[in-house]
Amino acid sequence: MSTKTRNLLFVNIMNNEDVHYVGKRIKEIRLQKEMKLVDLAIKSGISKGLLSRIENGRTIPSLPVLFNIITTLNENPSSFFETMGQGSNSPFYMLLKKEEYSAIEKEDSVGFNYFSIFSRSFSDFTFNAVLLLLEPDAKREMVTTDGMEFIYLASGNIEYKLGDETISMEEGDSLFFDGRVPHLKINNSEQTARILVIYLLFNK
């Protein structure tokens, strides 16, 4: 595949609503091939941490990194992107019914249920909107994101651990912060919390 064709493919995927699924697609293929995350990272010439953030939608890979990963997976770039870019035909809007929200997997966790709502890439950043249903006593390690995050607590009560601080949030509260600071949502209540999470990821 020529460099020009690769660039056109990359521009196409980074400008449609399915950009969020690049990481998901990488993870699906890796698991199908029974490859460990660390093995794919080493063979692709990147760190395990970077690959983990890519797979979990917490960073956008550069063009060389993305194609190194695809090549290491022995995938054809055209096949890799073939299921993407199939959104609304309207240039003015994109309507998604709640039943169309797709479940997405992130880091190993218990009680963190993510659903993709919308994703769009711009020149300097990528916009991702997801719905998080945070179950009582949900568990996960602290994580980082290569971008800014905005959360709106639609229902429930949670605590947000942000670096060394712990912030209490009630229904209707919102929080905007630098995702590069280690963070974790905690639900010590008896009800599932509904959280809108907006990611503004820095494009490489």
Side-chain angles (χ1 to χ4, degrees), residues 42-105:
I42 291 173
K43 292 179 180 179
S44 300
I46 61 176
S47 69
K48 177 183 175 182
L50 175 57
L51 180 57
S52 176
R53 292 199 301 278
I54 292 172
E55 286 193 349
N56 289 293
R58 296 189 179 278
T59 192
I60 301 298
S62 64
L63 177 58
V65 167
L66 178 58
F67 277 96
N68 278 346
I69 294 172
I70 294 174
T71 300
T72 302
L73 289 170
N74 292 319
E75 286 292 308
N76 182 296
S78 297
S79 299
F80 182 89
F81 294 123
E82 66 183 356
T83 61
M84 303 180 183
Q86 300 175 354
S88 168
N89 292 324
S90 172
F92 307 112
Y93 68 89
M94 185 177 73
L95 173 66
L96 284 176
K97 296 291 189 178
K98 61 182 179 181
E99 58 269 18
E100 296 179 303
Y101 296 171
S102 57
I104 53 177
E105 292 185 10

Side-chain angles (χ1 to χ4, degrees), residues 8-25:
L8 287 173
L9 274 171
F10 186 74
V11 169
N12 178 63
I13 185 58
M14 298 309 284
N15 283 283
N16 68 53
E17 65 273 14
D18 291 313
V19 66
H20 182 79
Y21 295 103
V22 170
K24 179 180 178 181
R25 181 81 171 127

